[in-house]
């Protein structure tokens, strides 16, 4: 620490977006101040360091920390290319920090998700979550549903996560339960990047496979998503294993044949106009990562999602 009083972590009045060393002090997402003051917040960024529902390699409990550190690389750009505004100046965002729960206490995590994110929605804030394994999306959807009713699910993943072969609740069964709990409208939902076995009788989601995403022009994919979700509130969930392991090696269940980060960013960027109320990026497991490739991909996808949300928000006066 220096004596410089401009450090945003220690003064009330400093501009939080002043350029500051990208390797000093605590790492919040993009340098956005840590805060639990939800009033007048447009967007709350929440880490959920939970990995007790993984079926294979664990380690996503360290995802939020790794993604926040990687996001330091993205702080310097004021208007993120190719957007024409600085999202941090357009919306009031806070980094809410991480959800805390006792070791092994899945019920506590679920209850915490609903209580904390419920507060966000009550205050009119949208939610951006850093996972954590993918199971966290189920309580996140339960919370969104309490405030918005049935949502359209836009789901990027190598896996459909509609499986019934494992435990009743693990990180591969959320989208078996979500339609049955009435949380999402499958007729307005779409899964993208799938390239593992699934039973189409288990659900009515529209599926675009990894191969189809790679072969189809981006604009056609964007059109398919927009048409599918219509005007419903949207929950967007991005399992980092939707990306090819070349672009995201640091994850529990990598599957080759995925899309590039470039394609993923272009698709997300093209979704401006959809009514997105919450989103997550899950399954970043830093211990299998190399050179922060996966953590940086996760951070960049989250930032792109932040811009997507910002693009639907009128500029502040
Ligand atoms: Mn997956």
């Amino acid at each position: 620490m220096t004596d410089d009083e401009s450090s945003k972590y220690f003064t009330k009045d400093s501009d939080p977006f002043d350029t500051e060393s990208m390797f000093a002090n605590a790492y919040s997402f993009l340098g956005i101040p840590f805060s639990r003051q939800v009033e007048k917040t447009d967007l709350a960024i929440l880490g959920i360091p939970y990995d007790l529902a993984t079926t294979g390699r664990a380690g996503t409990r360290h995802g939020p920390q790794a993604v926040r550190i990687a996001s330091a690389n993205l702080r310097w750009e004021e208007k993120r290319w190719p957007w024409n505004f600085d999202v941090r100046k357009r919306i009031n965002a806070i980094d809410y920090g991480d959800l805390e729960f006792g070791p092994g206490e899945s019920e506590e995590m679920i209850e915490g998700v609903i209580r904390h994110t419920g507060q966000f929605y009550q205050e009119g804030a949208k939610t951006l979550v850093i996972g954590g394994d993918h199971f966290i999306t189920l309580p996140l959807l339960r919370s969104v549903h309490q405030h918005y009713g049935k949502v359209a699910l836009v789901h990027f993943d190598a896996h459909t996560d509609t499986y019934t072969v494992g435990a009743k609740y693990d990180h591969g069964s959320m989208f078996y339960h979500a339609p049955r709990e009435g949380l999402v409208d499958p007729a307005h939902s779409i899964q993208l990047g799938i390239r593992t076995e699934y039973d189409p009788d288990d659900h009515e989601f529209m599926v675009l496979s990894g191969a189809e995403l790679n072969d189809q022009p981006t604009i056609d994919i964007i059109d398919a998503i927009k048409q599918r979700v219509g005007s419903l509130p949207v929950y967007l969930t991005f399992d980092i294993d939707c990306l090819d392991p070349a672009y995201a090696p640091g994850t529990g269940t990598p599957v080759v044949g995925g899309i590039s980060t470039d394609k993923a960013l272009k698709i997300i960027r093209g979704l401006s106009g959809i009514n997105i109320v919450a989103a997550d990026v899950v399954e970043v497991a830093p211990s299998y990562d190399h050179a922060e490739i996966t953590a940086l991909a996760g951070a960049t996808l989250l930032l792109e999602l932040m811009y997507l949300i910002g693009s639907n928000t009128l500029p502040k006066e």
Side-chain angles (χ1 to χ4, degrees):
M1 197 197 317
T2 70
D3 292 336
D4 179 357
E5 289 186 353
S6 73
S7 176
K8 68 176 179 294
Y9 296 103
F10 305 106
T11 61
K12 277 192 292 192
D13 307 319
S14 60
D15 178 350
F17 311 120
D18 276 353
T19 304
E20 189 179 279
S21 165
M22 61 179 272
F23 45 82
N25 284 317
Y27 288 93
S28 63
F29 184 75
L30 211 69
I32 291 166
F34 283 117
S35 169
R36 294 211 159 167
Q37 297 301 311
V38 186
E39 302 82 23
K40 296 189 180 133
T41 293
D42 299 314
L43 179 72
I45 298 159
L46 171 70
I48 306 183
Y50 174 89
D51 62 8
L52 299 177
T54 36
T55 53
R57 304 187 299 176
T60 58
R61 68 179 61 185
H62 303 293
Q65 187 182 40
V67 166
R68 284 195 179 93
I69 292 172
S71 78
N73 285 291
L74 306 170
R75 281 165 62 164
W76 66 274
E77 219 178 3
E78 288 185 1
K79 294 177 186 174
R80 170 168 167 71
W81 183 90
W83 298 92
N84 62 358
F85 62 93
D86 182 342
V87 72
R88 294 165 295 188
K89 292 192 171 139
R90 182 174 291 206
I91 63 177
N92 289 314
I94 56 169
D95 188 328
Y96 195 80
D98 288 339
L99 190 71
E100 289 159 45
F101 44 87
E105 298 286 357
S106 296
E107 293 292 340
E108 197 182 331
M109 182 279 289
I110 292 168
E111 186 271 328
V113 164
I114 290 166
R115 185 159 43 85
H116 288 278
T117 63
Q119 250 182 36
F120 305 162
Y121 302 129
Q122 259 166 23
E123 295 292 334
K126 297 177 193 299
T127 306
L128 198 54
V129 171
I130 320 170
D133 78 44
H134 212 162
F135 175 72
I136 63 173
T137 303
L138 188 61
L140 284 161
L141 280 169
R142 287 174 183 161
S143 179
V144 157
H145 176 259
Q146 285 180 5
H147 295 266
Y148 289 97
K150 260 185 202 182
V151 294
L153 183 72
V154 176
H155 172 204
F156 292 84
D157 206 323
H159 316 86
T160 62
D161 293 340
T162 54
Y163 309 117
T164 52
V165 288
K168 182 176 178 188
Y169 294 108
D170 63 27
H171 76 151
S173 66
M174 302 77 62
F175 308 121
Y176 175 83
H177 296 292
R180 286 165 178 80
E181 291 185 22
L183 310 177
V184 302
D185 184 345
H188 288 281
S189 298
I190 183 166
Q191 299 186 308
L192 303 124
I194 308 304
R195 51 194 186 279
T196 49
E197 185 187 3
Y198 69 98
D199 182 353
D201 293 336
D202 274 349
H203 67 70
E204 303 159 44
F205 298 129
M206 179 178 175
V207 173
L208 285 179
S209 70
E212 284 170 317
L213 293 197
N214 279 320
D215 291 346
Q216 287 181 13
T218 307
I219 188 70
D220 293 352
I221 300 163
I222 292 165
D223 285 347
I225 298 170
K226 284 187 160 176
Q227 214 170 36
R228 187 74 175 173
V229 303
S231 57
L232 276 186
V234 172
Y235 187 104
L236 190 151
T237 181
F238 199 110
D239 182 332
I240 204 73
D241 72 25
C242 180
L243 301 179
D244 192 88
Y247 300 93
T251 192
T253 49
V255 185
V256 299
I259 60 171
S260 67
T261 39
D262 175 61
K263 189 120 192 182
L265 292 171
K266 283 174 182 160
I267 294 171
I268 290 173
R269 208 174 288 147
L271 293 177
S272 195
I274 68 169
N275 180 19
I276 185 162
V277 292
D280 64 50
V281 175
V282 296
E283 297 285 351
V284 171
S287 47
Y288 316 109
D289 206 2
H290 304 275
E292 297 184 317
I293 297 171
T294 317
L296 182 60
T300 310
L301 287 164
L302 281 159
L303 181 54
E304 205 67 43
L305 286 165
M306 203 172 153
Y307 268 87
L308 178 61
I309 290 167
S311 71
N312 293 336
T313 310
L314 288 173
K316 285 187 294 186
E317 286 178 10

